[in-house]
Amino acid sequence: MYKLTAYTIACLLISLDARSVPDNYNEERRALLDEETITAVGGKINLNEDENKANDVLMRWKMRELNDSYINPQHFNFSKHYFSYKKDIEDSKVYQIIRRMPKGAVLHVHSSLMLHADMLVKLTYEDHLYACHTYDDLKLQFSETTPERPCQSKWTLVSDMRNSSGDPAAFDSQLKKYFTLYREDGEDFNFVDINTVWQRFNKVYYVIKSLISYRPVREKYWYATLEQFYNDNIMYIEVRTGLHGLYELDGTQHDKKYLVELFKNVTNKFIEDHPEFIGVKLIVTKHRALSINQVFDALNLTRAVKAEMPDMIAGFDLVGQEDIGRPLTDFLPVLSEARNDINFYLHAGETAWLGTSADENLVDAILLGSKRIGHGYALTKHPSLMSAVIKKDIALEVNVISNVVLSLVHDVRNHPLASYLAMGLPVVLSSDDPGAWSARPLTDDFFVAFMGIASQRADLRMLKQLALNSITYSALEDEGKDRLFKVFSKRWDTFVKDIISDKSFSEIDFDRNID
């Protein structure tokens, strides 16, 4: 066997030292990286002088915080569940910057799960609210007299329960747990299977639905929701809703169209109070577990409401857990027939499986002409479908925190959004059901996407492009889009100047080694 002597090793080292990197290597390396930067979402945006200054502030804080997380992953680690670091993110300067940023529109959110749990608890202070309460279940109903609906325990006025508890604050804290999946005690959701999480999620939905089906409370709920979204710098919303009926205190029932009128009237009142808010459109939904006749009826309802209030209706979608729900192929006859007069915004590919009917909903969403695809989580596994999405310019409504909470992904750095952003796909960030996890309407999703998923090099250009995408791919008519672009531009300029002038963002040790 050949043995290396000390002399031979020295000669090899001298030979290696004598070698040099080809003259054009660094240029080619830089050219490849530059090409990736230009291809990525936001890569073609040119920042003006003020934007570059604001970007410098943003990126210095981003690199400092990322470096801190590398050194101290126990404090801030995107491989952990969102709930484990949720309380800490508000201390982040990057989070504070993003919170101030105008975000354009929210295009994927469900109407009953938009409002923070703290606000829902406040709504339980309304008069005449009864509760049917067991250890793991809660039903709510407003009534002049004790409700006649079956109850496993006993219908009791919530006001009486709160007053007799001896500690109203503790009572409200326990009540809040029925309105959100989030637990401050840090329960480890990483090891909860997807079906169990969905079961818990559905329980939260039904409790909230029982609270806001009372017409006066729904009005207050909707105004408070708009206010919460507006305060998160959102100027337009497209809301998915099943158009469930509402009732009055005397038991009078309203038809499903009444809810559309409520959305419109309360939104108009909100616009009077906040003139820069553009408005709301509805995407009518039906649960994918239901029959084809029920979906057919929902499509006809969508047609009828659109004919009466065309400014309020964006289109139609099927909702619910895809893995155990019926695939789009089951509804092809009625969906195909309706596609010429109703726009689709279909959930598709909200699954971690490959080759299943849920995964292949992506195929049908594309073929049915869906204007946008809800989630599209599985798209990276389908190169042909990804090409079709790019060619047809179908926007992907990505909901990062929802995908974490509902157990599609555990370490967000592995989220397919990283690929979508790098490839420059038409992505819009949304929040799905922020109230169900006590998140801010959109800031939390932007922050996690920017810090935990996007390239370390992603900067203000990406954030701006994502906001612009939400306007471009909205269902607004051209006039509405133009107005929203103008509002966004005005607010963006103000935001940039605020970041530059705010001394709390400039107080940083720039001598630290942060590349």
PDB file of all heavy atoms in Angstrom, residues 147-174:
ATOM      1  N   PRO A 147     -83.471  28.535  26.469  1.00  0.00           N
ATOM      2  CA  PRO A 147     -83.594  27.838  25.183  1.00  0.00           C
ATOM      3  C   PRO A 147     -84.187  26.443  25.342  1.00  0.00           C
ATOM      4  O   PRO A 147     -83.988  25.774  26.367  1.00  0.00           O
ATOM      5  CB  PRO A 147     -82.139  27.763  24.696  1.00  0.00           C
ATOM      6  CG  PRO A 147     -81.464  28.900  25.363  1.00  0.00           C
ATOM      7  CD  PRO A 147     -82.104  29.011  26.711  1.00  0.00           C
ATOM      8  N   GLU A 148     -84.929  26.029  24.331  1.00  0.00           N
ATOM      9  CA  GLU A 148     -85.570  24.716  24.367  1.00  0.00           C
ATOM     10  C   GLU A 148     -84.714  23.638  23.718  1.00  0.00           C
ATOM     11  O   GLU A 148     -85.077  22.463  23.762  1.00  0.00           O
ATOM     12  CB  GLU A 148     -86.933  24.793  23.672  1.00  0.00           C
ATOM     13  CG  GLU A 148     -87.917  25.737  24.370  1.00  0.00           C
ATOM     14  CD  GLU A 148     -89.259  25.794  23.660  1.00  0.00           C
ATOM     15  OE1 GLU A 148     -89.401  25.133  22.612  1.00  0.00           O
ATOM     16  OE2 GLU A 148     -90.160  26.509  24.160  1.00  0.00           O
ATOM     17  N   ARG A 149     -83.601  24.031  23.099  1.00  0.00           N
ATOM     18  CA  ARG A 149     -82.714  23.049  22.475  1.00  0.00           C
ATOM     19  C   ARG A 149     -82.199  22.077  23.523  1.00  0.00           C
ATOM     20  O   ARG A 149     -81.960  22.450  24.686  1.00  0.00           O
ATOM     21  CB  ARG A 149     -81.521  23.740  21.814  1.00  0.00           C
ATOM     22  CG  ARG A 149     -81.864  24.541  20.573  1.00  0.00           C
ATOM     23  CD  ARG A 149     -80.694  25.440  20.193  1.00  0.00           C
ATOM     24  NE  ARG A 149     -79.467  24.687  20.027  1.00  0.00           N
ATOM     25  CZ  ARG A 149     -78.252  25.237  20.078  1.00  0.00           C
ATOM     26  NH1 ARG A 149     -78.119  26.541  20.325  1.00  0.00           N
ATOM     27  NH2 ARG A 149     -77.182  24.497  19.901  1.00  0.00           N
ATOM     28  N   PRO A 150     -81.978  20.796  23.161  1.00  0.00           N
ATOM     29  CA  PRO A 150     -81.424  19.826  24.113  1.00  0.00           C
ATOM     30  C   PRO A 150     -80.070  20.283  24.641  1.00  0.00           C
ATOM     31  O   PRO A 150     -79.276  20.880  23.929  1.00  0.00           O
ATOM     32  CB  PRO A 150     -81.297  18.548  23.275  1.00  0.00           C
ATOM     33  CG  PRO A 150     -82.261  18.722  22.152  1.00  0.00           C
ATOM     34  CD  PRO A 150     -82.280  20.192  21.853  1.00  0.00           C
ATOM     35  N   CYS A 151     -79.822  20.021  25.915  1.00  0.00           N
ATOM     36  CA  CYS A 151     -78.562  20.401  26.557  1.00  0.00           C
ATOM     37  C   CYS A 151     -78.130  19.269  27.477  1.00  0.00           C
ATOM     38  O   CYS A 151     -78.928  18.757  28.268  1.00  0.00           O
ATOM     39  CB  CYS A 151     -78.734  21.700  27.349  1.00  0.00           C
ATOM     40  SG  CYS A 151     -77.299  22.182  28.316  1.00  0.00           S
ATOM     41  N   GLN A 152     -76.860  18.873  27.373  1.00  0.00           N
ATOM     42  CA  GLN A 152     -76.356  17.772  28.191  1.00  0.00           C
ATOM     43  C   GLN A 152     -76.309  18.139  29.666  1.00  0.00           C
ATOM     44  O   GLN A 152     -76.370  17.264  30.532  1.00  0.00           O
ATOM     45  CB  GLN A 152     -74.954  17.367  27.728  1.00  0.00           C
ATOM     46  CG  GLN A 152     -74.930  16.701  26.358  1.00  0.00           C
ATOM     47  CD  GLN A 152     -73.516  16.341  25.933  1.00  0.00           C
ATOM     48  OE1 GLN A 152     -72.608  17.154  26.029  1.00  0.00           O
ATOM     49  NE2 GLN A 152     -73.327  15.115  25.469  1.00  0.00           N
ATOM     50  N   SER A 153     -76.190  19.423  29.948  1.00  0.00           N
ATOM     51  CA  SER A 153     -76.180  19.863  31.346  1.00  0.00           C
ATOM     52  C   SER A 153     -77.418  20.704  31.614  1.00  0.00           C
ATOM     53  O   SER A 153     -78.511  20.161  31.814  1.00  0.00           O
ATOM     54  CB  SER A 153     -74.893  20.644  31.658  1.00  0.00           C
ATOM     55  OG  SER A 153     -74.725  21.736  30.754  1.00  0.00           O
ATOM     56  N   LYS A 154     -77.275  22.024  31.573  1.00  0.00           N
ATOM     57  CA  LYS A 154     -78.403  22.915  31.836  1.00  0.00           C
ATOM     58  C   LYS A 154     -78.108  24.264  31.184  1.00  0.00           C
ATOM     59  O   LYS A 154     -77.016  24.813  31.326  1.00  0.00           O
ATOM     60  CB  LYS A 154     -78.597  23.095  33.349  1.00  0.00           C
ATOM     61  CG  LYS A 154     -79.697  24.064  33.734  1.00  0.00           C
ATOM     62  CD  LYS A 154     -79.727  24.254  35.237  1.00  0.00           C
ATOM     63  CE  LYS A 154     -80.783  25.276  35.639  1.00  0.00           C
ATOM     64  NZ  LYS A 154     -80.784  25.532  37.111  1.00  0.00           N
ATOM     65  N   TRP A 155     -79.088  24.805  30.468  1.00  0.00           N
ATOM     66  CA  TRP A 155     -78.924  26.139  29.903  1.00  0.00           C
ATOM     67  C   TRP A 155     -78.896  27.164  31.031  1.00  0.00           C
ATOM     68  O   TRP A 155     -79.800  27.220  31.866  1.00  0.00           O
ATOM     69  CB  TRP A 155     -80.070  26.478  28.954  1.00  0.00           C
ATOM     70  CG  TRP A 155     -80.009  25.781  27.628  1.00  0.00           C
ATOM     71  CD1 TRP A 155     -80.744  24.723  27.218  1.00  0.00           C
ATOM     72  CD2 TRP A 155     -79.127  26.118  26.538  1.00  0.00           C
ATOM     73  NE1 TRP A 155     -80.403  24.358  25.932  1.00  0.00           N
ATOM     74  CE2 TRP A 155     -79.408  25.199  25.482  1.00  0.00           C
ATOM     75  CE3 TRP A 155     -78.146  27.075  26.344  1.00  0.00           C
ATOM     76  CZ2 TRP A 155     -78.739  25.233  24.269  1.00  0.00           C
ATOM     77  CZ3 TRP A 155     -77.464  27.115  25.130  1.00  0.00           C
ATOM     78  CH2 TRP A 155     -77.765  26.199  24.105  1.00  0.00           C
ATOM     79  N   THR A 156     -77.831  27.974  31.057  1.00  0.00           N
ATOM     80  CA  THR A 156     -77.648  28.973  32.113  1.00  0.00           C
ATOM     81  C   THR A 156     -77.193  30.283  31.497  1.00  0.00           C
ATOM     82  O   THR A 156     -76.393  30.284  30.561  1.00  0.00           O
ATOM     83  CB  THR A 156     -76.590  28.503  33.139  1.00  0.00           C
ATOM     84  OG1 THR A 156     -76.923  27.195  33.585  1.00  0.00           O
ATOM     85  CG2 THR A 156     -76.533  29.457  34.323  1.00  0.00           C
ATOM     86  N   LEU A 157     -77.677  31.399  31.995  1.00  0.00           N
ATOM     87  CA  LEU A 157     -77.217  32.689  31.506  1.00  0.00           C
ATOM     88  C   LEU A 157     -75.721  32.845  31.772  1.00  0.00           C
ATOM     89  O   LEU A 157     -75.250  32.574  32.890  1.00  0.00           O
ATOM     90  CB  LEU A 157     -77.975  33.824  32.188  1.00  0.00           C
ATOM     91  CG  LEU A 157     -79.387  34.120  31.679  1.00  0.00           C
ATOM     92  CD1 LEU A 157     -80.104  35.069  32.636  1.00  0.00           C
ATOM     93  CD2 LEU A 157     -79.334  34.718  30.273  1.00  0.00           C
ATOM     94  N   VAL A 158     -74.985  33.257  30.778  1.00  0.00           N
ATOM     95  CA  VAL A 158     -73.545  33.450  30.941  1.00  0.00           C
ATOM     96  C   VAL A 158     -73.262  34.502  32.006  1.00  0.00           C
ATOM     97  O   VAL A 158     -72.305  34.377  32.785  1.00  0.00           O
ATOM     98  CB  VAL A 158     -72.888  33.832  29.597  1.00  0.00           C
ATOM     99  CG1 VAL A 158     -71.419  34.231  29.777  1.00  0.00           C
ATOM    100  CG2 VAL A 158     -73.000  32.687  28.598  1.00  0.00           C
ATOM    101  N   SER A 159     -74.090  35.535  32.061  1.00  0.00           N
ATOM    102  CA  SER A 159     -73.901  36.570  33.081  1.00  0.00           C
ATOM    103  C   SER A 159     -74.001  35.980  34.482  1.00  0.00           C
ATOM    104  O   SER A 159     -73.230  36.352  35.381  1.00  0.00           O
ATOM    105  CB  SER A 159     -74.926  37.691  32.890  1.00  0.00           C
ATOM    106  OG  SER A 159     -76.250  37.174  32.940  1.00  0.00           O
ATOM    107  N   ASP A 160     -74.949  35.040  34.692  1.00  0.00           N
ATOM    108  CA  ASP A 160     -75.073  34.392  36.001  1.00  0.00           C
ATOM    109  C   ASP A 160     -73.863  33.516  36.303  1.00  0.00           C
ATOM    110  O   ASP A 160     -73.362  33.487  37.437  1.00  0.00           O
ATOM    111  CB  ASP A 160     -76.343  33.543  36.056  1.00  0.00           C
ATOM    112  CG  ASP A 160     -77.617  34.382  36.083  1.00  0.00           C
ATOM    113  OD1 ASP A 160     -77.505  35.605  36.323  1.00  0.00           O
ATOM    114  OD2 ASP A 160     -78.700  33.819  35.844  1.00  0.00           O
ATOM    115  N   MET A 161     -73.386  32.796  35.287  1.00  0.00           N
ATOM    116  CA  MET A 161     -72.215  31.940  35.470  1.00  0.00           C
ATOM    117  C   MET A 161     -70.993  32.784  35.833  1.00  0.00           C
ATOM    118  O   MET A 161     -70.216  32.416  36.724  1.00  0.00           O
ATOM    119  CB  MET A 161     -71.940  31.146  34.189  1.00  0.00           C
ATOM    120  CG  MET A 161     -73.032  30.165  33.823  1.00  0.00           C
ATOM    121  SD  MET A 161     -72.823  29.461  32.163  1.00  0.00           S
ATOM    122  CE  MET A 161     -71.319  28.514  32.374  1.00  0.00           C
ATOM    123  N   ARG A 162     -70.845  33.913  35.164  1.00  0.00           N
ATOM    124  CA  ARG A 162     -69.687  34.785  35.422  1.00  0.00           C
ATOM    125  C   ARG A 162     -69.781  35.383  36.835  1.00  0.00           C
ATOM    126  O   ARG A 162     -68.796  35.401  37.581  1.00  0.00           O
ATOM    127  CB  ARG A 162     -69.635  35.884  34.370  1.00  0.00           C
ATOM    128  CG  ARG A 162     -68.448  36.832  34.504  1.00  0.00           C
ATOM    129  CD  ARG A 162     -68.438  37.861  33.395  1.00  0.00           C
ATOM    130  NE  ARG A 162     -67.980  37.299  32.114  1.00  0.00           N
ATOM    131  CZ  ARG A 162     -68.735  37.176  31.032  1.00  0.00           C
ATOM    132  NH1 ARG A 162     -70.011  37.553  31.056  1.00  0.00           N
ATOM    133  NH2 ARG A 162     -68.238  36.666  29.920  1.00  0.00           N
ATOM    134  N   ASN A 163     -70.972  35.859  37.198  1.00  0.00           N
ATOM    135  CA  ASN A 163     -71.138  36.504  38.509  1.00  0.00           C
ATOM    136  C   ASN A 163     -70.969  35.522  39.659  1.00  0.00           C
ATOM    137  O   ASN A 163     -70.479  35.883  40.733  1.00  0.00           O
ATOM    138  CB  ASN A 163     -72.510  37.175  38.591  1.00  0.00           C
ATOM    139  CG  ASN A 163     -72.635  38.364  37.654  1.00  0.00           C
ATOM    140  OD1 ASN A 163     -71.634  38.982  37.292  1.00  0.00           O
ATOM    141  ND2 ASN A 163     -73.866  38.669  37.257  1.00  0.00           N
ATOM    142  N   SER A 164     -71.384  34.281  39.449  1.00  0.00           N
ATOM    143  CA  SER A 164     -71.298  33.285  40.526  1.00  0.00           C
ATOM    144  C   SER A 164     -69.937  32.584  40.578  1.00  0.00           C
ATOM    145  O   SER A 164     -69.684  31.794  41.490  1.00  0.00           O
ATOM    146  CB  SER A 164     -72.403  32.236  40.355  1.00  0.00           C
ATOM    147  OG  SER A 164     -72.224  31.513  39.141  1.00  0.00           O
ATOM    148  N   SER A 165     -69.078  32.880  39.628  1.00  0.00           N
ATOM    149  CA  SER A 165     -67.773  32.202  39.574  1.00  0.00           C
ATOM    150  C   SER A 165     -66.845  32.657  40.689  1.00  0.00           C
ATOM    151  O   SER A 165     -65.918  31.926  41.069  1.00  0.00           O
ATOM    152  CB  SER A 165     -67.103  32.461  38.226  1.00  0.00           C
ATOM    153  OG  SER A 165     -66.709  33.830  38.098  1.00  0.00           O
ATOM    154  N   GLY A 166     -67.087  33.875  41.210  1.00  0.00           N
ATOM    155  CA  GLY A 166     -66.200  34.396  42.241  1.00  0.00           C
ATOM    156  C   GLY A 166     -64.962  35.079  41.691  1.00  0.00           C
ATOM    157  O   GLY A 166     -64.279  35.819  42.395  1.00  0.00           O
ATOM    158  N   ASP A 167     -64.659  34.842  40.429  1.00  0.00           N
ATOM    159  CA  ASP A 167     -63.481  35.443  39.789  1.00  0.00           C
ATOM    160  C   ASP A 167     -63.783  35.618  38.306  1.00  0.00           C
ATOM    161  O   ASP A 167     -63.440  34.764  37.482  1.00  0.00           O
ATOM    162  CB  ASP A 167     -62.254  34.556  39.989  1.00  0.00           C
ATOM    163  CG  ASP A 167     -60.958  35.217  39.523  1.00  0.00           C
ATOM    164  OD1 ASP A 167     -61.033  36.230  38.800  1.00  0.00           O
ATOM    165  OD2 ASP A 167     -59.879  34.711  39.889  1.00  0.00           O
ATOM    166  N   PRO A 168     -64.454  36.723  37.936  1.00  0.00           N
ATOM    167  CA  PRO A 168     -64.838  36.936  36.539  1.00  0.00           C
ATOM    168  C   PRO A 168     -63.663  36.879  35.563  1.00  0.00           C
ATOM    169  O   PRO A 168     -63.816  36.377  34.442  1.00  0.00           O
ATOM    170  CB  PRO A 168     -65.472  38.333  36.556  1.00  0.00           C
ATOM    171  CG  PRO A 168     -65.979  38.488  37.948  1.00  0.00           C
ATOM    172  CD  PRO A 168     -64.969  37.788  38.813  1.00  0.00           C
ATOM    173  N   ALA A 169     -62.491  37.360  35.964  1.00  0.00           N
ATOM    174  CA  ALA A 169     -61.321  37.324  35.082  1.00  0.00           C
ATOM    175  C   ALA A 169     -60.909  35.888  34.785  1.00  0.00           C
ATOM    176  O   ALA A 169     -60.601  35.533  33.646  1.00  0.00           O
ATOM    177  CB  ALA A 169     -60.163  38.104  35.703  1.00  0.00           C
ATOM    178  N   ALA A 170     -60.913  35.046  35.818  1.00  0.00           N
ATOM    179  CA  ALA A 170     -60.568  33.631  35.624  1.00  0.00           C
ATOM    180  C   ALA A 170     -61.635  32.934  34.785  1.00  0.00           C
ATOM    181  O   ALA A 170     -61.320  32.080  33.948  1.00  0.00           O
ATOM    182  CB  ALA A 170     -60.412  32.941  36.976  1.00  0.00           C
ATOM    183  N   PHE A 171     -62.902  33.296  35.012  1.00  0.00           N
ATOM    184  CA  PHE A 171     -63.987  32.734  34.217  1.00  0.00           C
ATOM    185  C   PHE A 171     -63.791  33.064  32.739  1.00  0.00           C
ATOM    186  O   PHE A 171     -63.902  32.189  31.873  1.00  0.00           O
ATOM    187  CB  PHE A 171     -65.327  33.289  34.707  1.00  0.00           C
ATOM    188  CG  PHE A 171     -66.506  32.856  33.886  1.00  0.00           C
ATOM    189  CD1 PHE A 171     -67.156  31.654  34.149  1.00  0.00           C
ATOM    190  CD2 PHE A 171     -66.976  33.644  32.843  1.00  0.00           C
ATOM    191  CE1 PHE A 171     -68.242  31.250  33.377  1.00  0.00           C
ATOM    192  CE2 PHE A 171     -68.056  33.258  32.079  1.00  0.00           C
ATOM    193  CZ  PHE A 171     -68.701  32.051  32.344  1.00  0.00           C
ATOM    194  N   ASP A 172     -63.477  34.333  32.443  1.00  0.00           N
ATOM    195  CA  ASP A 172     -63.267  34.743  31.062  1.00  0.00           C
ATOM    196  C   ASP A 172     -62.066  34.055  30.445  1.00  0.00           C
ATOM    197  O   ASP A 172     -62.053  33.720  29.256  1.00  0.00           O
ATOM    198  CB  ASP A 172     -63.094  36.260  30.987  1.00  0.00           C
ATOM    199  CG  ASP A 172     -64.406  37.004  31.183  1.00  0.00           C
ATOM    200  OD1 ASP A 172     -65.463  36.343  31.186  1.00  0.00           O
ATOM    201  OD2 ASP A 172     -64.364  38.242  31.349  1.00  0.00           O
ATOM    202  N   SER A 173     -61.032  33.828  31.250  1.00  0.00           N
ATOM    203  CA  SER A 173     -59.842  33.139  30.755  1.00  0.00           C
ATOM    204  C   SER A 173     -60.180  31.716  30.340  1.00  0.00           C
ATOM    205  O   SER A 173     -59.677  31.221  29.312  1.00  0.00           O
ATOM    206  CB  SER A 173     -58.764  33.134  31.834  1.00  0.00           C
ATOM    207  OG  SER A 173     -57.602  32.475  31.386  1.00  0.00           O
ATOM    208  N   GLN A 174     -61.022  31.058  31.115  1.00  0.00           N
ATOM    209  CA  GLN A 174     -61.445  29.704  30.751  1.00  0.00           C
ATOM    210  C   GLN A 174     -62.368  29.725  29.545  1.00  0.00           C
ATOM    211  O   GLN A 174     -62.288  28.879  28.657  1.00  0.00           O
ATOM    212  CB  GLN A 174     -62.143  29.034  31.941  1.00  0.00           C
ATOM    213  CG  GLN A 174     -61.217  28.680  33.083  1.00  0.00           C
ATOM    214  CD  GLN A 174     -60.140  27.687  32.665  1.00  0.00           C
ATOM    215  OE1 GLN A 174     -60.413  26.669  32.017  1.00  0.00           O
ATOM    216  NE2 GLN A 174     -58.895  27.985  33.025  1.00  0.00           N
TER     217      GLN A 174
END
